[in-house]
PDB file of all heavy atoms in Angstrom:
ATOM      1  N   ASN B  31       7.170   7.166 -12.315  1.00 96.00           N
ATOM      2  CA  ASN B  31       6.883   7.134 -13.758  1.00 96.00           C
ATOM      3  C   ASN B  31       6.822   5.679 -14.213  1.00 96.00           C
ATOM      4  O   ASN B  31       7.091   4.751 -13.435  1.00 96.00           O
ATOM      5  CB  ASN B  31       7.943   7.915 -14.552  1.00 96.00           C
ATOM      6  CG  ASN B  31       9.338   7.399 -14.295  1.00 96.00           C
ATOM      7  OD1 ASN B  31       9.585   6.197 -14.293  1.00 96.00           O
ATOM      8  ND2 ASN B  31      10.269   8.311 -14.076  1.00 96.00           N
ATOM      9  N   GLY B  32       6.472   5.492 -15.486  1.00 97.00           N
ATOM     10  CA  GLY B  32       6.282   4.150 -16.015  1.00 97.00           C
ATOM     11  C   GLY B  32       7.546   3.306 -15.972  1.00 97.00           C
ATOM     12  O   GLY B  32       7.504   2.113 -15.663  1.00 97.00           O
ATOM     13  N   LYS B  33       8.661   3.956 -16.255  1.00 97.00           N
ATOM     14  CA  LYS B  33       9.921   3.224 -16.309  1.00 97.00           C
ATOM     15  C   LYS B  33      10.258   2.631 -14.939  1.00 97.00           C
ATOM     16  O   LYS B  33      10.621   1.454 -14.826  1.00 97.00           O
ATOM     17  CB  LYS B  33      11.021   4.181 -16.792  1.00 97.00           C
ATOM     18  CG  LYS B  33      12.329   3.525 -17.122  1.00 97.00           C
ATOM     19  CD  LYS B  33      13.176   4.464 -17.979  1.00 97.00           C
ATOM     20  CE  LYS B  33      14.578   3.919 -18.178  1.00 97.00           C
ATOM     21  NZ  LYS B  33      15.460   4.166 -17.025  1.00 97.00           N
ATOM     22  N   GLU B  34      10.116   3.459 -13.904  1.00 97.00           N
ATOM     23  CA  GLU B  34      10.365   2.975 -12.544  1.00 97.00           C
ATOM     24  C   GLU B  34       9.409   1.844 -12.177  1.00 97.00           C
ATOM     25  O   GLU B  34       9.787   0.880 -11.504  1.00 97.00           O
ATOM     26  CB  GLU B  34      10.146   4.121 -11.536  1.00 97.00           C
ATOM     27  CG  GLU B  34      11.383   4.915 -11.233  1.00 97.00           C
ATOM     28  CD  GLU B  34      11.173   5.870 -10.056  1.00 97.00           C
ATOM     29  OE1 GLU B  34      10.281   5.645  -9.201  1.00 97.00           O
ATOM     30  OE2 GLU B  34      11.906   6.856 -10.017  1.00 97.00           O
ATOM     31  N   ALA B  35       8.167   1.977 -12.624  1.00 98.00           N
ATOM     32  CA  ALA B  35       7.154   0.970 -12.307  1.00 98.00           C
ATOM     33  C   ALA B  35       7.531  -0.384 -12.896  1.00 98.00           C
ATOM     34  O   ALA B  35       7.478  -1.418 -12.211  1.00 98.00           O
ATOM     35  CB  ALA B  35       5.794   1.416 -12.845  1.00 98.00           C
ATOM     36  N   VAL B  36       7.945  -0.368 -14.162  1.00 98.00           N
ATOM     37  CA  VAL B  36       8.308  -1.610 -14.840  1.00 98.00           C
ATOM     38  C   VAL B  36       9.490  -2.272 -14.131  1.00 98.00           C
ATOM     39  O   VAL B  36       9.506  -3.479 -13.904  1.00 98.00           O
ATOM     40  CB  VAL B  36       8.618  -1.337 -16.342  1.00 98.00           C
ATOM     41  CG1 VAL B  36       9.208  -2.558 -17.014  1.00 98.00           C
ATOM     42  CG2 VAL B  36       7.352  -0.893 -17.066  1.00 98.00           C
ATOM     43  N   GLU B  37      10.462  -1.439 -13.738  1.00 98.00           N
ATOM     44  CA  GLU B  37      11.616  -1.962 -12.993  1.00 98.00           C
ATOM     45  C   GLU B  37      11.182  -2.597 -11.674  1.00 98.00           C
ATOM     46  O   GLU B  37      11.619  -3.680 -11.311  1.00 98.00           O
ATOM     47  CB  GLU B  37      12.608  -0.823 -12.696  1.00 98.00           C
ATOM     48  CG  GLU B  37      13.568  -0.517 -13.841  1.00 98.00           C
ATOM     49  CD  GLU B  37      14.298  -1.759 -14.331  1.00 98.00           C
ATOM     50  OE1 GLU B  37      14.893  -2.462 -13.490  1.00 98.00           O
ATOM     51  OE2 GLU B  37      14.267  -2.038 -15.545  1.00 98.00           O
ATOM     52  N   ALA B  38      10.312  -1.887 -10.951  1.00 98.00           N
ATOM     53  CA  ALA B  38       9.849  -2.369  -9.640  1.00 98.00           C
ATOM     54  C   ALA B  38       9.121  -3.701  -9.780  1.00 98.00           C
ATOM     55  O   ALA B  38       9.313  -4.622  -8.975  1.00 98.00           O
ATOM     56  CB  ALA B  38       8.938  -1.329  -8.987  1.00 98.00           C
ATOM     57  N   VAL B  39       8.311  -3.819 -10.824  1.00 97.00           N
ATOM     58  CA  VAL B  39       7.553  -5.053 -11.049  1.00 97.00           C
ATOM     59  C   VAL B  39       8.511  -6.208 -11.344  1.00 97.00           C
ATOM     60  O   VAL B  39       8.373  -7.307 -10.817  1.00 97.00           O
ATOM     61  CB  VAL B  39       6.537  -4.865 -12.210  1.00 97.00           C
ATOM     62  CG1 VAL B  39       5.990  -6.198 -12.687  1.00 97.00           C
ATOM     63  CG2 VAL B  39       5.409  -3.942 -11.757  1.00 97.00           C
ATOM     64  N   LYS B  40       9.504  -5.924 -12.181  1.00 97.00           N
ATOM     65  CA  LYS B  40      10.477  -6.940 -12.549  1.00 97.00           C
ATOM     66  C   LYS B  40      11.205  -7.452 -11.297  1.00 97.00           C
ATOM     67  O   LYS B  40      11.316  -8.657 -11.067  1.00 97.00           O
ATOM     68  CB  LYS B  40      11.494  -6.315 -13.528  1.00 97.00           C
ATOM     69  CG  LYS B  40      12.032  -7.308 -14.539  1.00 97.00           C
ATOM     70  CD  LYS B  40      13.074  -6.654 -15.436  1.00 97.00           C
ATOM     71  CE  LYS B  40      12.449  -5.774 -16.525  1.00 97.00           C
ATOM     72  NZ  LYS B  40      13.443  -5.033 -17.313  1.00 97.00           N
TER      73      LYS B  40
END
Side-chain angles (χ1 to χ4, degrees):
Chain B
N31 57 45
K33 190 163 172 280
E34 269 190 23
V36 171
E37 276 307 308
V39 166
K40 212 183 282 174

